[in-house]
Amino acid sequence: MILPGATLGILGGGQLGQMFVLAARRMGYPVWVLDPDPDCPAAEVANQHLCAAYDDINALQSLADHCAAVTVEFENISAAAMHYLETRIPVRPGSAALAIAQDRAREKSFFRDLGLDTAPFVLLRPGDDLEEAAQDLIFPAIMKTTRFGYDGKGQQPVPAISELVTVWNRLHTQEAILESRIQLLQEFSIILARSVDGMMVFYPAAENIHHHGVLDLSIVPARVSVVLQTQARHYAARIAEALEYVGVLAVEFFVSAEGRLLVNEMAPRPHNSGHYSIDACVGSQFDQQVRALCGLPLADTRLISPVVMMNLLGDLWEAGEPDWQKLLQHPQIKLHLYGKKMARPGRKMGHVNALSTEAERALSVLEALRQDWHWPR
């Protein structure tokens, strides 16, 4: 076990990195952050900020020299950087999980190889006869870059097969997956943690509602059948075991109009839909990330209160600073601002957790807040 007093490292200093640092420091661990952004949110709370590229050898060597173990905030870390660290200190999760999660084609194929259902898809490459490759898919569809896509970025709708070439040219990518658009009943996520010895714990499922491709609300307990939640936990456990995963893992699921459970994607790290755990669970997903990294017994994931998490996007700042008084007049709302200096439309600037005796009551509080802020969904 790596005990308090030892220094931990993290690649990435955004809001997820910031929340990891805060959890680690509460537990007595100094933290070093590597992030090329001088104004990254984690820099203000870390013991040391290495402002350098993620593949900067000197910065990586500093992490290896000063940290007992390293984790990641996001999956798009180069294989070379991961290999450099892994040969020197424990890195959890490891490069194998990141390599799959950072490539949509590999990720979808990995799920299928495990016998898990996904939306129908095909891989598209330059020089392919696009219409021939897509002839077995049902349209409308959606084209997604295989790498560097998140929160709706790197995605384009394809209404009909006749528009494939136009959308391909618009996306400007070397490789993409084309996926049939599924009629959805629900979307939800399962977050688990797996320890070095293979023990796993699961957080309550979060029902997710998106707006323009960005997560808007996470509702816990999820309004999803117990049967589907149990099946999803089995799927997520199968993924974690196949990867020999150590750390916090999020897996997103679709429920089709026919009631089928489909795996959408995974995130080898804490996830936006798990932010409710900071205020509503015995141990948050970030407490869990610290524990898994350090080889400690995993934390209790028990839900203390029904909760709804709502993201605060940069759109709220278009007319100036939001009226925080309207938010803070609700005593059951917990406000989390990330300290980002520039507010842009669609950028995650913070979130709120609304706690109540029932999730529906928490939803009502947040809907009243939207009206006060004149912020339509």
Side-chain angles (χ1 to χ4, degrees):
M1 293 184 187
I2 299 170
L3 298 176
T7 299
L8 306 179
I10 184 167
L11 299 171
Q15 64 264 25
L16 299 180
Q18 180 192 66
M19 288 181 264
F20 168 81
V21 173
L22 291 171
R25 294 201 64 182
R26 278 197 306 271
M27 294 171 66
Y29 295 93
V31 185
W32 284 37
V33 172
L34 172 58
D35 191 294
D37 181 1
D39 296 320
C40 67
E44 295 185 359
V45 295
N47 297 81
Q48 181 73 33
H49 174 210
L50 300 173
C51 189
Y54 295 117
D55 57 358
D56 183 285
I57 292 298
N58 291 329
L60 293 170
Q61 186 60 54
S62 290
L63 281 182
D65 288 344
H66 293 91
C67 298
V70 169
T71 190
V72 298
E73 181 202 41
F74 67 113
E75 49 269 34
N76 291 312
I77 304 294
S78 74
M82 292 294 292
H83 177 73
Y84 186 90
L85 288 173
E86 283 177 325
T87 59
R88 289 161 175 80
I89 54 173
V91 180
R92 298 167 179 155
S95 57
L98 266 63
I100 292 172
Q102 66 189 213
D103 186 297
R104 281 193 174 105
R106 289 187 64 181
E107 183 180 68
K108 296 282 188 185
S109 298
F110 172 71
F111 295 153
R112 284 196 174 177
D113 290 344
L114 289 177
L116 310 181
D117 289 337
T118 68
F121 74 95
V122 294
L123 178 62
L124 303 178
R125 295 189 177 95
D128 286 350
D129 183 324
L130 299 182
E131 292 193 9
E132 181 179 347
Q135 63 182 349
D136 292 331
L137 287 185
I138 297 174
F139 286 78
I142 184 165
M143 192 181 297
K144 304 177 181 179
T145 58
T146 55
R147 300 175 70 87
F148 304 111
Y150 64 96
D151 287 344
K153 299 178 179 68
Q155 303 183 19
Q156 291 286 332
V158 187
I161 195 168
S162 59
E163 299 185 44
L164 264 176
V165 174
T166 300
V167 176
W168 171 266
N169 292 334
R170 188 187 307 146
L171 208 54
H172 298 295
T173 184
Q174 290 299 306
E175 195 173 70
I177 62 168
L178 184 68
E179 185 176 283
S180 291
R181 188 180 288 277
I182 302 296
Q183 293 296 316
L184 299 180
L185 285 180
Q186 292 171 307
E187 299 180 50
F188 70 101
S189 53
I190 295 291
I191 296 176
L192 65 83
R194 187 172 185 271
S195 64
V196 175
D197 62 7
M199 178 185 175
M200 272 187 276
V201 294
F202 297 84
Y203 283 92
E207 179 185 352
N208 299 322
I209 298 173
H210 291 78
H211 184 60
H212 294 314
V214 181
L215 181 63
D216 181 31
L217 299 172
S218 289
I219 302 165
V220 183
R223 299 168 298 185
V224 178
S225 75
V226 173
V227 171
L228 286 175
Q229 290 188 45
T230 301
Q231 185 181 359
R233 284 193 289 272
H234 285 312
Y235 280 13
R238 201 180 307 174
I239 291 168
E241 288 171 350
L243 293 170
E244 298 182 348
Y245 195 86
V246 178
V248 174
L249 176 71
V251 185
E252 294 182 315
F253 294 91
F254 293 152
V255 181
S256 73
E258 299 79 29
R260 288 177 59 219
L261 184 68
L262 306 174
V263 186
N264 179 35
E265 60 185 24
M266 67 178 183
R269 51 172 171 77
H271 192 259
N272 191 183
S273 67
H275 289 347
Y276 74 86
S277 65
I278 299 172
D279 298 308
C281 290
V282 174
S284 78
Q285 63 174 342
F286 299 99
D287 297 330
Q288 207 73 270
Q289 187 180 21
V290 176
R291 285 176 168 270
L293 176 63
C294 294
L296 301 173
L298 298 177
D300 188 346
T301 59
R302 181 163 36 94
L303 188 68
I304 299 171
S305 167
V307 58
V308 179
M309 188 281 300
M310 181 175 74
N311 276 322
L312 303 179
L313 305 183
D315 312 64
L316 270 175
W317 277 256
E318 284 184 341
E321 192 75 12
D323 187 346
W324 300 119
Q325 183 175 347
K326 288 182 177 178
L327 183 150
L328 295 170
Q329 70 182 352
H330 298 284
Q332 63 270 66
I333 283 183
K334 302 276 193 173
L335 174 63
H336 298 261
L337 293 176
Y338 306 148
K340 295 180 179 179
K341 300 185 184 305
M342 296 293 295
R344 298 190 297 271
R347 191 183 195 196
K348 294 171 183 172
M349 301 295 293
H351 71 271
V352 295
N353 286 329
L355 284 70
S356 191
T357 54
E358 298 175 357
E360 292 297 332
R361 290 188 179 183
L363 271 172
S364 297
V365 170
L366 293 179
E367 289 304 326
L369 178 61
R370 285 188 198 276
Q371 293 178 12
D372 285 343
W373 270 345
H374 305 291
W375 187 29
R377 291 174 63 173

